[in-house]
Amino acid sequence: MSDAAATPPEQVVAPVGTVTTRLLHRAPRGTQEWWRSAVVYVNEPPLLGAVSTSADVADRREQLRWVSRLGVQAIRLGCPPLPNEAPAEVIDAVAELLVRAHRTGLRVILRIDPTDPRDEACARYWLSRGADGLDLGPVTEEEPISHARYRELHALLAEHARDEDPILSSRLTPAVQERAAEMLHEDWLHHLVDAELLDLTDPARVVEAVTDSLRIRDALGTTGAWLVPDVTEAGSPEMALVGALVVLAMPGAVYLRQGIELGLPVKTSPDPEPERTSRRTALLAEQRGVGGSHFETIRAALRLRTDHRLGLAPLARVDEMVGPVPEDVLAFLSGEILVVANVGSDDVPLPAEPEVVLTSGPLRSGLAGVPLLPPRTAAWLWLEPQAPQPDPRARR
């Protein structure tokens, strides 16, 4: 567990410009496990299973190359076949996939159905071959939470503990978001993924939800975990990219579902969709290397997230920034990065001093060259650390 203590919000004045903040979450101290700040790339729905073929596995293996270049730390797949369910060459191909993933620095998390005995047998087999964790899928109103089942799965993970213990994750849907405290107080989940940042249209609600979420997790020594919205959940391509920049700046883990990095809606059907596959390939070729494209913007955000250790950063809400923050603007400070998301209909002035390191769309210029953030746009600004100034009243 982290030794970061839960603390109530306190007033903090940032040392740069006129930005005034209120602390919501302290940075953890000491060495931290990989899962506390990981970005997990999710095949949704799972794209491996009992009927997987060599071609399916080869497709996932090819995916590892460009997913690792995207800048994530883990990939989630479906639970692969067991030796009695597929030819030996398929089993060997999956084992090689795990090896290649680890060589490229990726962990592999397997999506299982916690009520399916076959999936438990599958999890046991592939954990012994190097899988790094289990994902139990979304918690819904129709699926009761089984605390006894979670304890059984923890025992299974303990059997396969190595240098890094395998992790257990699940995901909240908006309908059961309020059950987070119940689940985390009863069971240890490395990631209980929030759906709170799928809709950013009400910044006050977002701040309240994030504050509550982090307070629960900080008290129990686990980490925040957040779902990046797709274009359908966000309402438009512009707001999907705004949502991505907000979520990717958050402390904790982030789950990025396949297609979102290209501006596509999340795939929901388990059936093959050749047209979607062709579209994804075309979009990747079209956007790769093009500044300002959906793909390159998210790739840049992932790189900056790593460089600035945002997954392990303190988080503070921003109350003042060139005056009081408007009601339709979400502004927070993640480590040294000031994140501003304009979900209103008017331009918003940004502080002139900090360096703008990333935006979801072009900025505008106001009077005296003041940078303006247009509607449905987000920006990251770097508040460069300044050397502390000695207090002249201090005793030498």
Side-chain angles (χ1 to χ4, degrees):
M1 288 190 178
S2 168
D3 57 359
T7 56
E10 59 186 56
Q11 189 73 18
V12 177
V13 178
V16 177
T18 58
V19 178
T20 304
T21 65
R22 187 178 301 270
L23 187 66
L24 303 179
H25 165 75
R26 294 185 184 278
R29 297 185 295 272
T31 302
Q32 300 297 310
E33 301 95 331
W34 68 271
W35 51 267
R36 291 186 179 275
S37 58
V39 177
V40 181
Y41 187 83
V42 176
N43 279 299
E44 183 105 81
L47 297 179
L48 284 181
V51 296
S52 297
T53 65
S54 295
D56 296 328
V57 181
D59 186 51
R60 301 285 77 72
R61 191 168 59 242
E62 176 65 22
Q63 188 183 66
L64 292 178
R65 293 198 307 166
W66 71 272
V67 166
S68 64
R69 292 172 184 168
L70 185 61
V72 305
Q73 289 75 49
I75 186 169
R76 197 200 77 179
L77 305 172
C79 211
L82 291 163
N84 63 344
E85 295 174 336
E89 59 265 24
V90 175
I91 304 302
D92 291 344
V94 176
E96 176 61 21
L97 183 149
L98 290 173
V99 170
R100 289 198 181 191
H102 293 152
R103 284 176 181 168
T104 60
L106 290 174
R107 278 83 173 184
V108 179
I109 300 171
L110 303 181
R111 165 74 163 89
I112 69 167
D113 180 347
T115 65
D116 187 342
R118 179 266 169 195
D119 275 17
E120 181 174 356
C122 177
R124 185 181 301 276
Y125 180 81
W126 288 109
L127 284 169
S128 72
R129 303 294 297 270
D132 300 283
L134 303 176
D135 185 295
L136 309 181
V139 178
T140 65
E141 290 179 297
E142 295 75 26
E143 293 291 336
I145 297 169
S146 172
H147 299 299
R149 185 73 181 109
Y150 288 154
R151 286 190 285 272
E152 292 173 358
L153 290 170
H154 273 296
L156 176 62
L157 295 181
E159 291 178 21
H160 300 282
R162 302 180 295 277
D163 294 338
E164 295 177 338
D165 293 345
I167 71 168
L168 191 65
S169 65
S170 187
R171 190 176 91 204
L172 295 167
T173 55
V176 296
Q177 185 69 40
E178 72 282 354
R179 303 186 70 173
E182 170 199 348
M183 293 181 67
L184 289 173
H185 278 282
E186 183 73 20
D187 305 292
W188 174 262
L189 289 166
H190 299 79
H191 294 162
L192 181 58
V193 185
D194 267 307
E196 292 285 19
L197 298 179
L198 298 182
D199 180 4
L200 304 178
T201 55
D202 184 349
R205 183 205 64 80
V206 171
V207 170
E208 180 181 3
V210 168
T211 302
D212 290 343
S213 177
L214 291 175
R215 184 180 66 247
I216 293 169
R217 287 157 174 78
D218 286 349
L220 297 173
T222 187
T223 189
W226 317 94
L227 197 64
V228 179
D230 75 349
V231 64
T232 302
E233 294 157 339
S236 70
E238 295 82 6
M239 283 304 298
L241 203 49
V242 168
L245 293 197
V246 167
V247 176
L248 289 172
M250 295 293 290
V254 170
Y255 278 60
L256 178 67
R257 292 163 291 171
Q258 185 184 45
I260 287 179
E261 75 280 8
L262 297 169
L264 287 171
V266 170
K267 185 176 187 292
T268 57
S269 169
D271 300 324
E273 296 180 3
E275 291 184 1
R276 177 183 170 89
T277 301
S278 299
R279 177 64 175 152
R280 190 174 72 238
T281 301
L283 283 174
L284 181 60
E286 178 183 307
Q287 296 184 23
R288 182 181 287 172
V290 178
S293 68
H294 216 100
F295 179 81
E296 291 298 343
T297 300
I298 289 182
R299 188 164 176 253
L302 288 166
R303 184 179 64 252
L304 290 166
R305 176 183 171 86
T306 299
D307 291 347
H308 291 273
R309 294 172 57 84
L310 299 185
L312 298 173
L315 184 75
R317 60 175 290 181
V318 174
D319 294 325
E320 292 190 21
M321 177 195 67
V322 196
V325 173
E327 292 183 355
D328 48 10
V329 171
L330 177 64
F332 60 92
L333 190 64
S334 181
E336 302 158 1
I337 298 295
L338 172 63
V339 181
V340 187
N342 182 4
V343 299
S345 55
D346 298 320
D347 290 348
V348 174
L350 295 173
E353 295 178 13
E355 177 188 357
V356 178
V357 294
L358 185 64
T359 66
S360 66
L363 300 183
R364 295 173 180 155
S365 182
L367 295 176
V370 172
L372 300 177
L373 186 68
R376 298 178 299 283
T377 309
W380 287 11
L381 295 84
W382 182 32
L383 303 184
E384 185 174 0
Q386 299 185 355
Q389 298 297 318
D391 188 338
R393 299 167 298 178
R395 299 179 69 178
R396 296 294 190 268

